[in-house]
Amino acid sequence: MSKYHCRCCETQIPAPRVQLGYDTCIQCGEEEARQVKHTIAPMHKSNYVVVSDKADLKGINNKGGFHR
């Protein structure tokens, strides 16, 4: 019997899942993951950048760095 419980819904979590660092059950973890939005943008003559704010994404690779 597992002594670990999901922090969202209090259902039992298998011990191997907790050992991997998760503190939610699979259903609650999937629901939380779907709420996170991000994109990866390539920078000119550079690397890729993870962007999570839409306003930042609009200004990337724009001459002057401003968007309308």
Side-chain angles (χ1 to χ4, degrees):
M1 186 163 142
S2 175
K3 60 182 176 181
Y4 305 106
H5 297 281
C6 174
R7 65 176 166 82
C8 298
C9 67
E10 296 299 320
T11 60
Q12 291 184 354
I13 305 173
R17 183 167 172 79
V18 174
Q19 290 171 352
L20 289 173
Y22 296 104
D23 59 353
T24 59
C25 65
I26 294 175
Q27 291 82 14
C28 292
E30 178 73 20
E31 197 171 306
E32 284 184 354
R34 291 184 184 274
Q35 293 176 4
V36 177
K37 303 288 183 197
H38 68 276
T39 190
I40 299 175
M43 301 298 292
H44 182 65
K45 294 186 178 180
S46 186
N47 54 349
Y48 293 90
V49 176
V50 177
V51 181
S52 59
D53 185 9
K54 191 173 182 178
D56 292 341
L57 182 61
K58 289 180 180 178
I60 289 178
N61 288 337
N62 188 0
K63 293 180 182 178
F66 300 109
H67 64 275
R68 297 175 202 215

